[in-house]
Amino acid sequence: MTSNHNGRRVAVTGMGFITPIGNDLETVWSNMIEGVSGVGLITRFDTALFDTKIAAEVKGFNAEEYMDRKTARHIGRYCQFALAASKQALAHANLDPSQMDPDDVGVIVSSGIGGMEEIEKSHTNLIERGPKRISPFTVPMMIADMAAGIVAIHTKAGGPNYAIVSACASSTHGIGEASEIIKRGDAVAMIAGGSEATITPLTMGAFCQIKATSERNDEPEKACRPFDLGRDGFVMGEGSVMFVLEDMDHAKQRGAPILAEIAGYGASADMYHFTAPQPEGKGAMRAMRRALENSGVDPKEVGYVNAHGTSTKLGDVAETKAIKSVFGEHARELAVSSTKSTHGHLLGAAGAIEAAACVLALERGLLPPTINLDDPDPECDLDYVPNKARKADINVAISNSFGFGGHNATVVIKKAPSGANN
Amino acid sequence: MASQLNFKELQELAAEILGIDPDQVQMDKSFQRDLAADSLDLVELIAAIEDKYDVELPDSELENMKVIGDLWKFLEQKTAERLEA
């Protein structure tokens, strides 16, 4: 994999957010920095029979603020999130694909699962009322590629268009591959990110059955505690974060705001187990190494790692080992945090919100904390920016994402080139 | 008789499914041309009408219905048949 095709570089020029910690950039960043948890009791269904009764739900989202009533009614919740976040991102970037050559702007919306709620509702109709009462919108609502299609229809972005599915690594792969599309010249800009809406009875029940989700139901805001001995599993989140990624020269020529640079990305497979990470983090290590190589970044330049850090024992320890292996002595100098502690685990959108955390950390010189880190696991002995944000003038950040199936992806993000916004 | 049918209720049902205002649902309006209903919308509308009015609306009937008024006539006819039975 070579990244610097024709010397093209990739700028981040816009971001949009529908998340458990806010539905606009400034609210999300404020909550991330202040360590305000988005986790609460599940309101979307009756959890009486479920071991886990908590999740990080999107709050105050009105789809009709972003689309007409008919569209809102006929697309799945995860597609609604993606369209809303994409429109925010385009407005932020001041980019209007309808005024451009349709080939110039593409869309990748990654999702780990797709329209789960809609599958469940239609299945219930099938069982209770028969096949003639299955919604005719079931197929378009459930398929995991539909958000990319919907975003193109409503923004007139006619370039490369698809979804990437790699469970909880989906949107890191998505952002990485979208950058490669720009570098190889197949699009001038990409609307890229992830979306997920899986706080549903079947999904939550299934994760409960494998004891993957936290059951700290009496203290929801303390439930997600990466790297802490008191953790008892991840906390399901939902939402969408979308980026406008753009050829750096194109962005400069039109005077767009340049928030950061996507320098490169790397991907690997664990080749180990379908849900558990390789215990030494060997797959994660190879993804990080490849990402740094592709970006032409020396590991010592990295000041911040946004960890996958899901708040599971196996995952937190394996990632810590991988970071130590990649960075050597420098692992003791760089900062690592898991913002999942505030926003929960957005599955296929996790990599997108976490890449956004890196962009904002670089732009604003502030590192978001890992909250609820009161009693560190002795096997997790790095600087996880415990509980309080910290000022830090860093030049390079990386975001890690690892998914069931053993998929690993790391994206390398650099501070915007000096003078880019003058 | 047929007057037991309430057109306002049909307006509201169709409007809900087609994502439009009830006032737009008028006798002379075409499903596709005026109300922008595509084939998926019509499948959903048929299911809702069958449930609400306890009728069967076969595809062959639907093919002949061009405007809301045609649907209304069908419902009136079914209601009348039921009252006579």
Side-chain angles (χ1 to χ4, degrees), chain B residues 16-51:
Chain B
E16 168 70 19
I17 285 165
L18 302 178
I20 55 179
D21 288 329
D23 289 347
Q24 290 176 260
V25 182
Q26 297 297 340
M27 293 291 188
D28 62 341
K29 297 298 181 199
S30 150
F31 293 105
Q32 279 154 320
R33 196 182 58 244
D34 299 317
L35 305 181
D38 61 24
S39 60
L40 300 185
D41 294 326
L42 291 178
V43 173
E44 195 177 24
L45 185 62
I46 290 165
I49 284 169
E50 288 183 338
D51 284 348

Side-chain angles (χ1 to χ4, degrees), chain B residues 44-59:
Chain B
E44 195 177 24
L45 185 62
I46 290 165
I49 284 169
E50 288 183 338
D51 284 348
K52 182 171 173 66
Y53 296 100
D54 193 21
V55 294
E56 266 193 55
L57 185 46
D59 289 349

Side-chain angles (χ1 to χ4, degrees), chain A residues 16-20 22 58 77-86 88 109-110 193-196 238-242 346 349 352-353:
Chain A
F17 298 82
I18 301 295
T19 82
V58 164
R77 182 171 169 86
Y78 92 100
C79 290
Q80 292 180 345
F81 290 163
L83 181 54
S86 296
Q88 282 183 24
V109 186
S110 302
S195 192
E196 204 76 82
E238 63 173 353
S240 175
V241 174
M242 295 298 297
L346 275 62
I353 191 171

